[in-house]
Amino acid sequence: MPPLTAKPSSPVVRVENLSIAYETRGGDVNAVRDVSFEIYRGETLGVVGESGCGKSTLAYGMVNYLGRNGKIAKGDIYFQGQSLVGKAEEELRRLRGDQISMVYQDPMTSLNPVLRIGEQMTEVLTVHRGVSEGEARKRCIDMLKRVYMPDPEKVMERYPHQISGGQQQRVVIAMALLNDPALLVMDEPTTALDVTVEAAALDLVADLRRDFDTAILFISHNLGVIARVANRVAVMYAGEVIELAPVAEIFANPRHPYTQGLIRCLPKLGRSKSSSALFPIRGRVPPPNHLPPGCVFEPRCDYAREACRRERPGLRSLADTHFTRCLFSEEIDPAVWAPSPELQSAIRSQPSTASETSNDILNVSELKTYYRHPDSSPLSMIGLGKKEFVKAVDGVDFVVPKGKTLGVVGESGCGKSTLIKTIIGLEEMSGGKAQFMGFDINRKVNQRDLSLIRELQMVFQNPDATMNPSYTVGQQLERPLRRFRIVPADKIHDEAVRILQSVKLDEHYYDRFPRQLSGGEKQRVGIARAFAGHPDLVLCDEPVSALDVSVQAAVLNLLLEIQREHNTTMIFISHDLSVVRFISDFVAVMYLGQVVEIGPAEAIYAPPYHPYTESLLAAVPIPDPDAEQKHIRLEGSVPSPLHPPSGCRFHTRCPRRSLLPDGGKVCEAESPPWQDDGGGHRIFCHIPLAQLRALEPVVNIPAAKG
Amino acid sequence: MFVKDYMTRHPIMTEATMRVIDAQKLMVENNIRHVPVVGSGKRLIGLVTRQRLALPPETLASLDVWEIARHLSDMTVSKVMITGKDLHTIGPEATLEEAADVMIEHKIGGLPVVEEGIVVGIITETDLLIQLQELLGAQDHGWRVVMRVPDRLGEYRRLIRAISDRGWGVMAMGSVRTPKRTDAWDIILKVRHCTQGELLLALKEIEEQEVIDIRETGLPKA
């Protein structure tokens, strides 16, 4: 408990009317404008917004580390009572070393790959502080323990590439804290991590803030993450803070139309496509050199009036701690918001989930994909080495009915992507059977019939990697049309335009190159191309993971719409359980190459759960600070698929093993049975269903709120 | 009750090269009275207090107005800070009593908290007063009672039992030897979950113990 007597104290950092500009050939571009806030000891200020809103620029600006063409154009930053603007480079460097630390998204950018972890960590203390080698080592090990690193002595001897991503990020956080900084700037520190690891890292941040009294500036695009760690939240849009309020206020009572829109476009855990719709915000973030003359959000705002176009609103106070940059915040009530007519037509009534007697289109049984693991002995060079296999997919069974969507979830390294690459024929099947509309699809894609290839298409995570940068959008769309002879040669152009329109892009996009498109538009083209040949089965590998929430909502709506139109079947991979819940009819949870739970979506998200599903659900960041979530954290990372654990593969990390007699000895010895819960819901676990069913739901979201 | 739990972490610090007038501004603007002076790696080299910034009158008398201005603007913190044997510090693992001891002995208002030469915080009189308040539960709403009890074994137990047997809670407690007497102790209690009448009745029943004072404290400030 904090001391009850709050001592009046000054903020660790105070930002006043800060504007940051980048010098370009076309003149200065103001990436951040008029931002003011303060952060006190032991407080976390979350900064949230879509990409291109100036979040990272703000973070770098805070430590005056903007690169050659960046500069603070206006305003001031007071750190510990002293202005940082105009300080000498040397002084700034010392401050950054002694009192300010930063943690970035990718831990490998902060770690030196050729030095052992121990060497890099002790260096912070020995070089900077003149601490003796032995003492520094002791303190580093203490700090690694503090960030819950398993076996810290061993980790000190390893190189960064020898530990997992989650552990790397812990090392970086530990290193940042070695100096006991007054201010910690974290720029998307958990974005690259798995949900389970992310949950543990966020717990860690909360603990450290409390114990070290550090002021934290936490930047994330994920509202769920922000809800979990922040005390106060600043919502950024187009370089401006448009709303600033305590975290509970932001989610329960957002006052700016943009914040309201952001919350509306999030798929909520427990909501499906049949019970709710996503409402994307129309338009997109204006580039900083082409801002509208009035309110920056005016072109996308449903409430825009004449006054909004004339003057740019300043950040004003609504209540003591709630600030907004909207002229009409008092009048806007998010409860009476209704989608505009065109939006409504775009997301018109969703298909009923009542299953019409549909036949199974894809039938997979005992599917195995093994990768040969090269032995390190010289014998293997001449083909005599021990034969070892990475069992990426090891005995997977499922069926997908026509027109339905199967969601696949699991941590990275579970074999999700390998599974669909095998189905589409990019990887060779090592065993088992897969039938598509009754035809075997055991062969690789280069040996398949053209008509079969046409029926199976894929949408990839990264639209950049899937498009040829030197072909125009139109040419790329025409290729499958021509190759699969969908339409006569003279109709190809018209058809390409029609497809473009079906993904809400107009004719002008035909002649554009991929580099001229935004991330969301590229993904639309990727989807358009996958659907061009009217395939029966589309495999989506994390299609929305790289997109901003408002774009994600639009792309998800688009996928649903096209699916409905063509009655296409989809397999949809995502690490985001809320997205999977939203779009899927069936969900398969994968762990280490095996499906551990499969069934209708609503059954997966309610007890009985497989213990692994339960842990995943407990880890999902929920964009609602009032949501109650059980605290279950998985230890360690996914074991190597080269030597999977015996018996149940999950037994090494299972938090529910103790429910079984003998502390779950049976889990180590025997592979678990498939237990049927009815309605196609099956769980791969030793624990009796009745016992699993008795467990309380992991997530409890207050029902009162929309 | 350790220094590390009650000190202010990440205190505002300065470097030895800072000009005295800037240091003065820093202290006034942030309403603080002690600023540790640190070198690279937050190593403590001195302490600046408000008294230290006040110039001794004899220095001023010998200078004219223009000289004073120049004298001030050239002077750096390193010239006025407390260093050497006058600079007292405390470790984070020390108890609050030890910190109080150092402060009383040297008549100083604040101590930098130092771990192996590195500043980890600062503890001042205010922190000690806050601790005193919390020790006596001053911030919680309830009845503040002062009991005078004879100086012998078992009096605490009788008093506590009289309260806890009735299901009321003792939130905080402190005891001191009764001022100017050797045969009695004053016990200050903070009690909640009861009315004043009930409490007074229960306390009066205890033989040989005397209710000195009872009042309601910890009401929210207007």
Side-chain angles (χ1 to χ4, degrees), chain B residues 39-57:
Chain B
S40 173
K42 291 190 268 189
R43 295 200 157 271
L44 182 70
I45 51 184
L47 180 73
V48 180
T49 61
R50 289 214 184 162
Q51 286 104 311
R52 277 290 174 143
L53 294 178
L55 291 176

Side-chain angles (χ1 to χ4, degrees), chain A residues 18-48:
Chain A
L18 183 70
S19 294
I20 301 172
Y22 289 107
E23 291 168 6
T24 65
R25 272 181 291 178
D28 285 3
V29 172
N30 283 305
V32 168
R33 288 178 316 281
D34 255 340
V35 169
S36 304
F37 58 80
E38 36 199 44
I39 314 176
Y40 288 84
R41 287 185 184 83
E43 187 187 46
T44 305
L45 177 74
V47 177
V48 71

